[in-house]
Amino acid sequence: MVDVTTPAPPRERTRTRTWAAVLAACIGQFLVVLDVSVVNVALPSMRSDLQMSSAGLQWVLNAYSIAFAGFMLLGGRAADIYGRKRMFLIGLGLFTAASLAGGLAQEGWQLLAARAAQGLGAAVLAPATLTLLTTAVPEGPARTKAIGTWMAVGAGGGAAGALIGGALTDLLSWRWVLLVNVPIGVLVLAGAAVRLVEGRTGDRRRIDLLGAVLVTVGLACVAYGIVQTEESGWAATATLAPLLGGVALLGVFVAVEARTAEPLMPLRVLGARAVTSANAAMFVLGSATFSMWYFMTVYVQAVLGYRPLEAGLALMPTSLAIILGSKCAPRVMAVTGTKNLALIGTAVAATGFGWQSTMGADGSYLTSVFLPGILMMTGAGLASTPLASLAITGAAPGEAGLVSGLVNTSRTMGGALGLAALSTVAAARTAGGTGPQELTAGYALAFRTAGTVLLGGLLLMVLWLPRARPARH
């Protein structure tokens, strides 16, 4: 007979807990990245169902991205102080509950509030996934393999977002792009609560909640002020009040970070030229590339007449292009050098944006979606890797994790503000028109403006980015 009371061998228990941590980390990362892109194809359906304005529609993306980026550094610090398992469960629980609320929303403001709560949950969840993984897997080949799996799963979430969103919207409804997170989240929560082991650094330093709130609200106010120019113009109180208020809050944030003992963003980190210049370049790159998904999605559906599933399939090659560019970047970087590859990638992306700006109301898939999309996203993938590498190389010992989080924050925040600005540019061109010709003219101007921004970013990189120094052995 088998003695069922005999506990499992310690090695077997350790192996089970290790793979439970890896699985939980990968699923959490997949959900966080997926929800950046999965809603894009569903936007036209959300607009018609909830009677949302064009300005409100872009906040479906911005509410998530601003909350996500603004609280990401805070989430990473909280995981170290309060425990990786605890923050993973809190982040995933909030993310899951917000997904349910968003899927059941009956008014536009309810959907936007749910997306902001999702972003906050993602900001707590995302850093905890990586720390869970790195603490569960010993340093060496096994950890390298686990981190590679984690990165691949995240990239897969971004690439699959358009296809999954299109399929769910077409076959069920737009609500399922949010509701699909609920059963997955509940299952992972239950498994993680039982299988994961708590861990923390033991560091009980204070957490800079004030800094996180100031930078998030400040950037949200700036984005809102930019959006208001579409209806009120630049000189109106409705525009100037949030713009100036947002700038003032960001100024207070800098003052707080300079004085607090444990700042969310130590200003000394920005003293390194490589860190500052690479983050500025990443901000510019994100401001153009993030908006690309929004405009391409509404273009193929509102102008070319694609159904949501067809739109998802049409944008899949573009999604895969950024993965291809990111995967090829390390090998190309060894030949061209870090700075040169950042310049090449940005130039390729700018070329794609310029091509996309020639789009027509009766454009073909090959020349108005596929080829320019491939150029835009391959270039973005080629440029992002060397920029991140330059930033981390310029970081002081022990601050690589902080700088890595800052790079992601810069890219995401750039994307949110870029979308707000470019949507205003498009709306000004359409002048209220809703026909295919008017919409296409607005989108084309947005792509042309984004391409010009990238050219400005290219000049910034030429003048400011340092050349990477060879590593010391």
Side-chain angles (χ1 to χ4, degrees):
M1 294 180 61
V2 177
D3 182 5
V4 295
T5 64
T6 302
R11 182 176 298 178
E12 184 178 332
R13 289 200 304 270
T14 300
R15 186 182 299 115
T16 300
R17 287 173 176 171
T18 297
W19 285 109
V22 173
L23 182 62
C26 288
I27 294 175
Q29 179 70 0
F30 182 84
L31 291 176
V32 165
V33 177
L34 178 72
D35 267 65
V36 176
S37 60
V38 73
V39 299
N40 279 303
V41 177
L43 290 174
S45 300
M46 292 176 178
R47 179 177 184 175
S48 60
D49 194 15
L50 299 181
Q51 303 300 307
M52 300 180 72
S53 65
S54 297
L57 198 64
Q58 63 182 277
W59 278 98
V60 176
L61 303 177
N62 276 352
Y64 182 89
S65 59
I66 289 177
F68 181 28
F71 287 100
M72 193 186 308
L73 295 177
L74 185 73
R77 181 68 61 86
D80 287 337
I81 295 176
Y82 299 115
R84 288 79 183 251
K85 175 182 176 179
R86 178 182 298 173
M87 298 315 296
F88 178 88
L89 295 176
I90 290 173
L92 182 57
L94 177 57
F95 183 87
T96 303
S99 297
L100 177 62
L104 299 178
Q106 300 301 310
E107 301 285 344
W109 68 266
Q110 295 172 350
L111 176 60
L112 299 185
R115 286 288 286 169
Q118 261 194 318
L120 177 57
V124 176
L125 175 60
T129 63
L130 185 55
T131 53
L132 271 175
L133 188 148
T134 54
T135 53
V137 183
E139 189 173 355
R143 180 184 290 183
T144 302
K145 182 178 179 181
I147 292 175
T149 302
W150 177 83
M151 294 181 67
V153 167
L163 182 59
I164 293 174
L168 290 173
T169 303
D170 228 8
L171 301 177
L172 297 171
S173 85
W174 67 263
R175 297 182 181 277
W176 279 96
V177 302
L178 300 173
L179 293 176
V180 70
N181 296 325
V182 177
I184 300 173
V186 169
L187 286 174
V188 176
L189 278 170
V194 174
R195 291 291 183 181
L196 295 185
V197 178
E198 187 56 279
R200 60 171 66 92
T201 62
D203 189 347
R204 284 289 181 177
R205 295 175 297 173
R206 66 181 290 274
I207 194 164
D208 187 16
L209 179 60
L210 177 61
V213 171
L214 284 171
V215 70
T216 304
V217 176
L219 286 165
C221 287
V222 171
Y224 180 78
I226 293 172
V227 171
Q228 284 299 105
T229 61
E230 179 181 334
E231 296 180 359
S232 307
W234 284 97
T237 302
T239 299
L240 291 177
L243 274 177
L244 296 178
V247 171
L249 286 173
L250 293 176
V252 174
F253 166 73
V254 172
V256 168
E257 298 305 283
R259 288 172 172 78
T260 187
E262 298 295 340
L264 178 70
M265 179 62 252
L267 298 183
R268 69 176 184 278
V269 172
L270 299 178
R273 176 184 171 188
V275 174
T276 307
S277 59
N279 273 279
M282 191 68 84
F283 184 93
V284 172
L285 188 68
S287 70
T289 55
F290 185 80
S291 62
M292 170 265 177
W293 298 107
Y294 174 80
F295 288 114
M296 290 296 285
T297 299
V298 293
Y299 170 65
V300 297
Q301 292 187 75
V303 176
L304 300 185
Y306 287 28
R307 293 179 57 83
L309 179 56
E310 293 172 334
L313 290 170
L315 295 177
M316 271 297 289
T318 308
S319 301
L320 295 174
I322 194 169
I323 298 177
L324 178 64
S326 300
K327 289 290 186 182
C328 292
R331 295 181 181 179
V332 180
M333 198 160 60
V335 177
T336 64
T338 309
K339 178 176 179 177
N340 287 339
L341 182 58
L343 298 176
I344 292 168
T346 304
V348 171
T351 301
F353 274 87
W355 187 347
Q356 188 65 61
S357 71
T358 64
M359 61 208 288
D362 56 351
S364 69
Y365 172 68
L366 182 64
T367 58
S368 294
V369 179
F370 180 81
L371 292 177
I374 293 292
L375 278 179
M376 286 187 283
M377 289 299 100
T378 301
L382 288 173
S384 296
T385 300
L387 288 175
S389 177
L390 275 172
I392 294 171
T393 301
E399 292 183 340
L402 173 64
V403 172
S404 178
L406 181 61
V407 167
N408 287 327
T409 300
S410 298
R411 177 171 51 196
T412 307
M413 281 300 185
L417 295 181
L419 176 60
L422 292 172
S423 294
T424 302
V425 168
R429 180 66 178 83
T430 58
T434 57
Q437 298 290 345
E438 292 90 345
L439 290 175
T440 302
Y443 303 153
L445 181 59
F447 278 108
R448 193 153 49 248
T449 304
T452 304
V453 168
L454 285 177
L455 291 177
L458 191 64
L459 178 61
L460 177 147
M461 293 180 207
V462 169
L463 298 176
W464 197 6
L465 283 182
R467 295 195 178 275
R469 286 172 288 185
R472 295 178 180 176
H473 298 284

